Amino acid sequence: LLARCAPLFVLAPGVQAAVTVIGGLTALLAGFIAVAQTDLKRVLAYSTVSQLGFMFMALGCGGPVAPSLAVSAAVFHLFTHAFFKALLF
């Protein structure tokens, strides 16, 4: 939904900055939590949450110049992460 509404977020740079900050904090916090886990399922779950944080951060970093580039990068990262996560199973 956030990727599809990227042209609207260009009109609200404060909201776009908030998406970037929340995505970065999510990636950082979930990464630290994943490092502390001992169960493999939890490590995989928190690493996925961390990667989702990176995707949201990419969506927020688009700016008014290249929102389509940010959407392309985030969706590409989503597909590659899903592919490599599927290879684990």
Side-chain angles (χ1 to χ4, degrees):
L1 181 63
L2 195 65
R4 292 190 54 107
C5 295
L8 293 175
F9 283 103
V10 170
L11 301 174
V15 175
Q16 198 170 17
V19 168
T20 303
V21 170
I22 291 171
L25 289 175
T26 301
L28 190 64
L29 183 65
F32 282 138
I33 292 173
V35 170
Q37 298 300 315
T38 56
D39 184 25
L40 184 60
K41 287 182 183 180
R42 290 183 184 191
V43 171
L44 291 174
Y46 281 112
S47 70
T48 299
V49 172
S50 175
Q51 294 300 311
L52 287 171
F54 283 127
M55 293 171 211
F56 273 81
M57 194 168 68
L59 286 171
C61 288
V65 178
S68 62
L69 181 63
V71 170
S72 300
V75 172
F76 177 74
H77 186 73
L78 175 72
F79 283 125
T80 57
H81 177 74
F83 177 75
F84 287 112
K85 191 66 79 159
L87 288 176
L88 289 172
F89 297 104

